Amino acid sequence: MNIILLGPPGAGKGTQAGRLVEKRDMIQLSTGDMLRAAKTSGTEMGKKVAEVMDRGELVTDEIVIGLIREQLEGDKKGGFIFDGFPRTLAQADALADLLAECGETLDAVIEMQVDDEVLVHRIVNRAKEAVANGGAARADDNAESLKVRLMAYYKQTAPLIGYYHAKGNLTSIDGLASMDEVEASVADVLG
Ligand code: AMP
């Protein structure tokens, strides 16, 4: 089973993906994590995307599609969870082609709905917690980048809601509920 978790930054996609990895042996494909890893290890690609990511803008479709393509070639285990990908219509089309090429299907798209105010709150807390735990906050977890990230979501990613609705893949769930309740809603969708 291959699924997409769709929602704005701070909606809880990563948390739910982590639970699906544990419970269903699925593989989490987070383009954000892959890009951050490239940034940290200082690869050419990492250097290229660093500033764009820190500002909160989207990196090019070509780069993220390339990252996903590499991952689809490996072991598929219980299926893929696309977390933070696709984020544009071009990426969604590319994903459909890549899945078709490897004989896979897209089984569900789960939209996690949350209010902007809650998002801002969650992200500010995420940054504080990271620092309190002795780590560093994400470079893009600040008020200015968050504004840009939300704008990118509404302009470039939210059109995917209509796209997947038209394809008959979309289920929207309440992302404001507790993590356990959201997990139960996800489980209902996946059956
Ligand atoms: P995330 O961890 O999903 O919030 O992603 C962090 C940042 O990585 C985003 O703000 C973008 O700069 C970049 N990024 C992650 N996934 C994508 C994607 N699918 N398309 C374009 N940029 C992405």
CSV table of all heavy atoms in Angstrom, one decimal, residues 1-57:
chain,number,residue,atom,x,y,z
A,1,MET,N,0.8,-1.2,0.0
A,1,MET,CA,0.0,0.0,0.0
A,1,MET,C,0.9,1.2,0.0
A,1,MET,O,1.8,1.4,0.8
A,1,MET,CB,-0.9,0.0,1.3
A,1,MET,CG,-1.6,1.3,1.5
A,1,MET,SD,-2.8,1.2,2.8
A,1,MET,CE,-4.1,0.1,2.1
A,2,ASN,N,0.6,2.1,-1.0
A,2,ASN,CA,1.4,3.4,-1.0
A,2,ASN,C,0.5,4.6,-0.8
A,2,ASN,O,-0.6,4.7,-1.4
A,2,ASN,CB,2.0,3.5,-2.4
A,2,ASN,CG,2.9,2.3,-2.8
A,2,ASN,OD1,3.8,2.0,-2.0
A,2,ASN,ND2,2.6,1.6,-3.8
A,3,ILE,N,0.9,5.5,0.1
A,3,ILE,CA,0.0,6.6,0.5
A,3,ILE,C,0.8,7.9,0.5
A,3,ILE,O,2.0,7.9,0.7
A,3,ILE,CB,-0.6,6.3,1.8
A,3,ILE,CG1,0.4,6.4,3.0
A,3,ILE,CG2,-1.4,5.0,1.9
A,3,ILE,CD1,-0.2,6.5,4.3
A,4,ILE,N,0.0,9.0,0.4
A,4,ILE,CA,0.6,10.3,0.6
A,4,ILE,C,-0.1,10.9,1.8
A,4,ILE,O,-1.3,10.8,2.0
A,4,ILE,CB,0.2,11.2,-0.7
A,4,ILE,CG1,0.9,10.7,-1.9
A,4,ILE,CG2,0.6,12.7,-0.4
A,4,ILE,CD1,0.4,11.4,-3.2
A,5,LEU,N,0.8,11.5,2.6
A,5,LEU,CA,0.3,12.4,3.7
A,5,LEU,C,0.4,13.8,3.3
A,5,LEU,O,1.5,14.3,3.0
A,5,LEU,CB,1.0,12.1,5.0
A,5,LEU,CG,0.9,10.7,5.6
A,5,LEU,CD1,1.7,10.6,6.9
A,5,LEU,CD2,-0.6,10.4,5.9
A,6,LEU,N,-0.7,14.5,3.2
A,6,LEU,CA,-0.7,15.8,2.6
A,6,LEU,C,-1.2,16.8,3.7
A,6,LEU,O,-2.1,16.5,4.5
A,6,LEU,CB,-1.8,15.9,1.5
A,6,LEU,CG,-1.9,17.1,0.6
A,6,LEU,CD1,-0.6,17.3,-0.2
A,6,LEU,CD2,-3.0,16.8,-0.5
A,7,GLY,N,-0.5,17.9,3.8
A,7,GLY,CA,-0.9,18.9,4.8
A,7,GLY,C,0.2,20.0,5.0
A,7,GLY,O,1.3,19.7,4.6
A,8,PRO,N,-0.2,21.1,5.5
A,8,PRO,CA,0.8,22.2,5.7
A,8,PRO,C,1.9,21.8,6.7
A,8,PRO,O,1.8,20.8,7.4
A,8,PRO,CB,-0.1,23.3,6.2
A,8,PRO,CG,-1.3,22.7,6.8
A,8,PRO,CD,-1.5,21.4,6.1
A,9,PRO,N,2.9,22.6,6.8
A,9,PRO,CA,4.0,22.4,7.8
A,9,PRO,C,3.4,22.4,9.2
A,9,PRO,O,2.6,23.3,9.5
A,9,PRO,CB,4.9,23.6,7.6
A,9,PRO,CG,4.2,24.6,6.7
A,9,PRO,CD,3.2,23.8,6.0
A,10,GLY,N,3.8,21.4,10.0
A,10,GLY,CA,3.3,21.4,11.3
A,10,GLY,C,1.9,20.6,11.5
A,10,GLY,O,1.4,20.5,12.6
A,11,ALA,N,1.4,20.0,10.4
A,11,ALA,CA,0.2,19.3,10.4
A,11,ALA,C,0.3,18.0,11.2
A,11,ALA,O,-0.7,17.4,11.6
A,11,ALA,CB,-0.4,19.1,9.0
A,12,GLY,N,1.5,17.5,11.3
A,12,GLY,CA,1.7,16.2,12.0
A,12,GLY,C,2.0,15.0,11.0
A,12,GLY,O,1.9,13.9,11.4
A,13,LYS,N,2.4,15.4,9.8
A,13,LYS,CA,2.7,14.3,8.8
A,13,LYS,C,3.8,13.4,9.3
A,13,LYS,O,3.7,12.2,9.2
A,13,LYS,CB,3.1,14.9,7.4
A,13,LYS,CG,2.0,15.9,6.9
A,13,LYS,CD,2.4,16.4,5.5
A,13,LYS,CE,3.7,17.2,5.4
A,13,LYS,NZ,3.6,18.6,6.0
A,14,GLY,N,4.9,14.0,9.7
A,14,GLY,CA,6.1,13.2,10.2
A,14,GLY,C,5.7,12.3,11.3
A,14,GLY,O,6.2,11.1,11.3
A,15,THR,N,5.0,12.8,12.3
A,15,THR,CA,4.6,12.0,13.4
A,15,THR,C,3.8,10.8,13.0
A,15,THR,O,4.0,9.6,13.4
A,15,THR,CB,3.7,12.8,14.4
A,15,THR,OG1,4.5,14.0,14.8
A,15,THR,CG2,3.3,12.1,15.6
A,16,GLN,N,2.8,11.0,12.2
A,16,GLN,CA,1.9,9.9,11.7
A,16,GLN,C,2.7,8.9,10.8
A,16,GLN,O,2.5,7.7,10.9
A,16,GLN,CB,0.7,10.4,11.0
A,16,GLN,CG,-0.2,11.2,11.9
A,16,GLN,CD,-0.7,10.4,13.1
A,16,GLN,OE1,-0.9,9.2,13.1
A,16,GLN,NE2,-0.9,11.1,14.3
A,17,ALA,N,3.6,9.5,10.0
A,17,ALA,CA,4.4,8.6,9.2
A,17,ALA,C,5.2,7.7,10.1
A,17,ALA,O,5.3,6.5,9.8
A,17,ALA,CB,5.3,9.4,8.3
A,18,GLY,N,5.8,8.2,11.1
A,18,GLY,CA,6.6,7.4,12.1
A,18,GLY,C,5.8,6.3,12.6
A,18,GLY,O,6.3,5.1,12.8
A,19,ARG,N,4.6,6.5,13.0
A,19,ARG,CA,3.7,5.5,13.6
A,19,ARG,C,3.4,4.4,12.5
A,19,ARG,O,3.4,3.2,12.9
A,19,ARG,CB,2.5,6.1,14.1
A,19,ARG,CG,2.8,7.0,15.3
A,19,ARG,CD,1.6,7.5,16.0
A,19,ARG,NE,2.0,8.3,17.1
A,19,ARG,CZ,1.2,8.5,18.2
A,19,ARG,NH1,-0.1,8.1,18.2
A,19,ARG,NH2,1.6,9.2,19.2
A,20,LEU,N,3.2,4.8,11.3
A,20,LEU,CA,2.9,3.8,10.2
A,20,LEU,C,4.2,2.9,9.9
A,20,LEU,O,4.0,1.8,9.6
A,20,LEU,CB,2.5,4.5,8.9
A,20,LEU,CG,1.1,5.2,9.0
A,20,LEU,CD1,0.9,6.1,7.8
A,20,LEU,CD2,0.0,4.1,9.1
A,21,VAL,N,5.3,3.5,10.1
A,21,VAL,CA,6.6,2.8,9.9
A,21,VAL,C,6.7,1.7,10.9
A,21,VAL,O,6.9,0.5,10.6
A,21,VAL,CB,7.8,3.7,10.0
A,21,VAL,CG1,9.1,2.9,10.1
A,21,VAL,CG2,7.9,4.7,8.8
A,22,GLU,N,6.4,2.0,12.2
A,22,GLU,CA,6.4,1.1,13.3
A,22,GLU,C,5.4,0.0,13.1
A,22,GLU,O,5.6,-1.2,13.3
A,22,GLU,CB,6.2,1.8,14.6
A,22,GLU,CG,7.5,2.2,15.3
A,22,GLU,CD,7.1,2.9,16.6
A,22,GLU,OE1,6.2,2.5,17.3
A,22,GLU,OE2,7.9,3.8,16.9
A,23,LYS,N,4.1,0.4,12.9
A,23,LYS,CA,3.0,-0.5,12.9
A,23,LYS,C,2.8,-1.3,11.7
A,23,LYS,O,2.3,-2.4,11.7
A,23,LYS,CB,1.7,0.2,13.3
A,23,LYS,CG,1.9,0.9,14.6
A,23,LYS,CD,0.6,0.8,15.5
A,23,LYS,CE,0.9,1.2,16.9
A,23,LYS,NZ,0.1,2.2,17.4
A,24,ARG,N,3.2,-0.8,10.5
A,24,ARG,CA,2.8,-1.5,9.3
A,24,ARG,C,4.1,-1.8,8.4
A,24,ARG,O,3.9,-2.1,7.2
A,24,ARG,CB,1.9,-0.6,8.4
A,24,ARG,CG,0.5,-0.4,9.1
A,24,ARG,CD,-0.4,0.3,8.2
A,24,ARG,NE,-1.7,0.6,8.9
A,24,ARG,CZ,-2.9,0.2,8.5
A,24,ARG,NH1,-3.0,-0.4,7.3
A,24,ARG,NH2,-4.0,0.4,9.2
A,25,ASP,N,5.2,-1.5,9.0
A,25,ASP,CA,6.5,-1.8,8.3
A,25,ASP,C,6.5,-1.1,6.9
A,25,ASP,O,7.1,-1.6,5.9
A,25,ASP,CB,6.6,-3.3,8.1
A,25,ASP,CG,8.1,-3.7,7.7
A,25,ASP,OD1,9.0,-3.0,8.1
A,25,ASP,OD2,8.2,-4.7,6.9
A,26,MET,N,6.0,0.1,6.9
A,26,MET,CA,6.0,0.9,5.7
A,26,MET,C,7.3,1.7,5.7
A,26,MET,O,8.0,1.8,6.7
A,26,MET,CB,4.8,1.9,5.6
A,26,MET,CG,3.5,1.1,5.5
A,26,MET,SD,2.0,2.2,5.5
A,26,MET,CE,2.0,2.7,3.8
A,27,ILE,N,7.6,2.3,4.5
A,27,ILE,CA,8.8,3.1,4.4
A,27,ILE,C,8.5,4.6,4.2
A,27,ILE,O,7.7,4.9,3.4
A,27,ILE,CB,9.6,2.7,3.1
A,27,ILE,CG1,10.0,1.2,3.3
A,27,ILE,CG2,10.8,3.5,2.9
A,27,ILE,CD1,10.7,0.6,2.0
A,28,GLN,N,9.0,5.4,5.1
A,28,GLN,CA,8.7,6.8,5.1
A,28,GLN,C,9.7,7.5,4.1
A,28,GLN,O,10.9,7.4,4.3
A,28,GLN,CB,8.9,7.4,6.5
A,28,GLN,CG,8.7,8.9,6.6
A,28,GLN,CD,9.0,9.5,8.0
A,28,GLN,OE1,9.5,8.8,8.8
A,28,GLN,NE2,8.7,10.8,8.2
A,29,LEU,N,9.1,8.2,3.1
A,29,LEU,CA,9.9,8.9,2.2
A,29,LEU,C,9.6,10.4,2.4
A,29,LEU,O,8.6,11.0,1.9
A,29,LEU,CB,9.6,8.5,0.8
A,29,LEU,CG,10.0,7.1,0.4
A,29,LEU,CD1,9.7,6.8,-1.1
A,29,LEU,CD2,11.4,6.7,0.7
A,30,SER,N,10.5,11.0,3.2
A,30,SER,CA,10.3,12.5,3.5
A,30,SER,C,11.4,13.2,2.7
A,30,SER,O,12.5,13.1,3.0
A,30,SER,CB,10.5,12.7,5.0
A,30,SER,OG,10.8,14.1,5.2
A,31,THR,N,10.9,14.0,1.7
A,31,THR,CA,11.9,14.8,0.9
A,31,THR,C,12.5,15.8,1.8
A,31,THR,O,13.7,16.1,1.6
A,31,THR,CB,11.2,15.4,-0.3
A,31,THR,OG1,9.9,15.9,0.1
A,31,THR,CG2,11.1,14.4,-1.4
A,32,GLY,N,11.8,16.3,2.8
A,32,GLY,CA,12.4,17.3,3.7
A,32,GLY,C,13.6,16.7,4.5
A,32,GLY,O,14.7,17.3,4.6
A,33,ASP,N,13.4,15.5,5.0
A,33,ASP,CA,14.5,14.8,5.7
A,33,ASP,C,15.7,14.5,4.8
A,33,ASP,O,16.8,14.7,5.1
A,33,ASP,CB,14.0,13.4,6.3
A,33,ASP,CG,13.1,13.6,7.5
A,33,ASP,OD1,13.0,14.7,8.0
A,33,ASP,OD2,12.5,12.6,7.9
A,34,MET,N,15.4,14.1,3.6
A,34,MET,CA,16.4,13.8,2.6
A,34,MET,C,17.2,15.1,2.3
A,34,MET,O,18.5,15.1,2.2
A,34,MET,CB,15.9,13.3,1.3
A,34,MET,CG,15.2,11.9,1.4
A,34,MET,SD,14.4,11.5,-0.2
A,34,MET,CE,13.1,10.4,0.4
A,35,LEU,N,16.5,16.2,2.1
A,35,LEU,CA,17.2,17.5,1.8
A,35,LEU,C,18.0,18.0,2.9
A,35,LEU,O,19.1,18.5,2.8
A,35,LEU,CB,16.1,18.5,1.3
A,35,LEU,CG,15.4,18.2,0.0
A,35,LEU,CD1,14.2,19.1,-0.1
A,35,LEU,CD2,16.4,18.5,-1.2
A,36,ARG,N,17.4,17.8,4.2
A,36,ARG,CA,18.2,18.2,5.3
A,36,ARG,C,19.5,17.4,5.5
A,36,ARG,O,20.5,17.9,5.8
A,36,ARG,CB,17.4,18.2,6.6
A,36,ARG,CG,16.5,19.4,6.9
A,36,ARG,CD,15.8,19.4,8.2
A,36,ARG,NE,14.8,18.4,8.2
A,36,ARG,CZ,13.5,18.5,7.6
A,36,ARG,NH1,13.2,19.7,7.1
A,36,ARG,NH2,12.7,17.5,7.7
A,37,ALA,N,19.4,16.1,5.2
A,37,ALA,CA,20.6,15.2,5.3
A,37,ALA,C,21.6,15.7,4.3
A,37,ALA,O,22.8,15.7,4.6
A,37,ALA,CB,20.2,13.8,5.0
A,38,ALA,N,21.2,16.1,3.1
A,38,ALA,CA,22.1,16.5,2.0
A,38,ALA,C,22.8,17.8,2.5
A,38,ALA,O,24.0,18.0,2.2
A,38,ALA,CB,21.4,16.7,0.7
A,39,LYS,N,22.0,18.7,3.1
A,39,LYS,CA,22.5,20.0,3.6
A,39,LYS,C,23.6,19.7,4.7
A,39,LYS,O,24.6,20.3,4.6
A,39,LYS,CB,21.3,20.7,4.2
A,39,LYS,CG,21.2,22.2,3.9
A,39,LYS,CD,20.0,22.7,4.6
A,39,LYS,CE,20.4,23.7,5.7
A,39,LYS,NZ,19.2,24.3,6.4
A,40,THR,N,23.2,18.8,5.6
A,40,THR,CA,24.2,18.6,6.7
A,40,THR,C,25.4,17.9,6.2
A,40,THR,O,26.5,18.3,6.7
A,40,THR,CB,23.5,17.6,7.7
A,40,THR,OG1,22.2,18.2,8.1
A,40,THR,CG2,24.3,17.5,9.0
A,41,SER,N,25.3,17.0,5.3
A,41,SER,CA,26.5,16.3,4.8
A,41,SER,C,27.3,17.2,3.8
A,41,SER,O,28.4,16.8,3.4
A,41,SER,CB,26.2,14.9,4.3
A,41,SER,OG,25.3,15.0,3.3
A,42,GLY,N,26.7,18.3,3.4
A,42,GLY,CA,27.5,19.2,2.6
A,42,GLY,C,27.7,18.8,1.1
A,42,GLY,O,28.7,19.2,0.5
A,43,THR,N,26.8,17.9,0.6
A,43,THR,CA,26.9,17.5,-0.8
A,43,THR,C,26.6,18.8,-1.7
A,43,THR,O,26.1,19.8,-1.2
A,43,THR,CB,25.8,16.5,-1.1
A,43,THR,OG1,24.5,17.0,-1.0
A,43,THR,CG2,26.0,15.2,-0.3
A,44,GLU,N,27.0,18.6,-3.0
A,44,GLU,CA,26.8,19.7,-3.9
A,44,GLU,C,25.3,20.1,-3.9
A,44,GLU,O,25.0,21.3,-3.9
A,44,GLU,CB,27.2,19.3,-5.3
A,44,GLU,CG,28.7,19.5,-5.6
A,44,GLU,CD,29.2,20.9,-5.1
A,44,GLU,OE1,28.7,21.9,-5.6
A,44,GLU,OE2,30.2,20.9,-4.3
A,45,MET,N,24.5,19.1,-3.9
A,45,MET,CA,23.0,19.4,-4.0
A,45,MET,C,22.6,20.1,-2.7
A,45,MET,O,21.8,21.0,-2.7
A,45,MET,CB,22.3,18.0,-4.2
A,45,MET,CG,20.8,18.2,-4.4
A,45,MET,SD,19.9,18.0,-2.9
A,45,MET,CE,19.8,16.3,-2.8
A,46,GLY,N,23.2,19.6,-1.5
A,46,GLY,CA,22.8,20.2,-0.2
A,46,GLY,C,23.2,21.6,-0.2
A,46,GLY,O,22.4,22.5,0.3
A,47,LYS,N,24.3,22.0,-0.8
A,47,LYS,CA,24.7,23.4,-0.8
A,47,LYS,C,23.8,24.2,-1.6
A,47,LYS,O,23.5,25.4,-1.3
A,47,LYS,CB,26.2,23.5,-1.3
A,47,LYS,CG,27.2,23.0,-0.3
A,47,LYS,CD,28.6,23.3,-1.0
A,47,LYS,CE,29.6,22.3,-0.3
A,47,LYS,NZ,30.8,22.1,-1.2
A,48,LYS,N,23.4,23.6,-2.7
A,48,LYS,CA,22.5,24.3,-3.7
A,48,LYS,C,21.1,24.6,-3.0
A,48,LYS,O,20.6,25.7,-3.3
A,48,LYS,CB,22.3,23.4,-4.9
A,48,LYS,CG,22.1,24.1,-6.2
A,48,LYS,CD,22.4,23.2,-7.3
A,48,LYS,CE,21.2,23.0,-8.2
A,48,LYS,NZ,21.4,22.0,-9.3
A,49,VAL,N,20.6,23.7,-2.2
A,49,VAL,CA,19.3,23.9,-1.7
A,49,VAL,C,19.2,24.6,-0.4
A,49,VAL,O,18.1,25.1,0.0
A,49,VAL,CB,18.5,22.6,-1.6
A,49,VAL,CG1,18.4,21.9,-2.9
A,49,VAL,CG2,19.2,21.6,-0.5
A,50,ALA,N,20.3,24.8,0.3
A,50,ALA,CA,20.3,25.3,1.7
A,50,ALA,C,19.6,26.6,1.9
A,50,ALA,O,18.7,26.7,2.7
A,50,ALA,CB,21.8,25.4,2.2
A,51,GLU,N,20.0,27.6,1.0
A,51,GLU,CA,19.4,28.9,1.2
A,51,GLU,C,17.9,28.9,0.9
A,51,GLU,O,17.1,29.5,1.6
A,51,GLU,CB,20.0,29.9,0.3
A,51,GLU,CG,21.3,30.4,0.9
A,51,GLU,CD,21.9,31.6,0.0
A,51,GLU,OE1,21.1,32.3,-0.7
A,51,GLU,OE2,23.1,31.7,0.1
A,52,VAL,N,17.5,28.2,-0.1
A,52,VAL,CA,16.1,28.1,-0.5
A,52,VAL,C,15.3,27.5,0.6
A,52,VAL,O,14.2,28.0,1.0
A,52,VAL,CB,15.9,27.3,-1.8
A,52,VAL,CG1,14.5,27.1,-2.1
A,52,VAL,CG2,16.7,27.9,-2.9
A,53,MET,N,15.8,26.4,1.2
A,53,MET,CA,15.1,25.8,2.3
A,53,MET,C,15.0,26.7,3.5
A,53,MET,O,14.0,26.8,4.2
A,53,MET,CB,15.8,24.5,2.7
A,53,MET,CG,15.7,23.4,1.8
A,53,MET,SD,16.6,22.0,2.3
A,53,MET,CE,15.7,21.4,3.7
A,54,ASP,N,16.1,27.3,3.9
A,54,ASP,CA,16.1,28.2,5.1
A,54,ASP,C,15.1,29.3,4.9
A,54,ASP,O,14.5,29.8,5.9
A,54,ASP,CB,17.5,28.7,5.4
A,54,ASP,CG,18.4,27.6,5.8
A,54,ASP,OD1,17.9,26.5,6.0
A,54,ASP,OD2,19.6,27.9,6.0
A,55,ARG,N,14.9,29.8,3.7
A,55,ARG,CA,14.0,30.9,3.5
A,55,ARG,C,12.5,30.4,3.5
A,55,ARG,O,11.6,31.1,3.7
A,55,ARG,CB,14.2,31.5,2.1
A,55,ARG,CG,15.2,32.5,2.0
A,55,ARG,CD,15.0,33.5,0.8
A,55,ARG,NE,15.0,32.7,-0.5
A,55,ARG,CZ,16.0,32.4,-1.2
A,55,ARG,NH1,17.2,32.8,-0.8
A,55,ARG,NH2,15.9,31.7,-2.4
A,56,GLY,N,12.3,29.0,3.3
A,56,GLY,CA,11.0,28.5,3.4
A,56,GLY,C,10.4,28.3,2.1
A,56,GLY,O,9.2,27.9,1.9
A,57,GLU,N,11.2,28.5,1.0
A,57,GLU,CA,10.6,28.3,-0.4
A,57,GLU,C,10.8,26.8,-0.8
A,57,GLU,O,11.6,26.1,-0.2
A,57,GLU,CB,11.4,29.2,-1.3
A,57,GLU,CG,11.1,30.6,-1.1
A,57,GLU,CD,12.1,31.6,-1.8
A,57,GLU,OE1,12.8,31.1,-2.7
A,57,GLU,OE2,12.1,32.8,-1.5
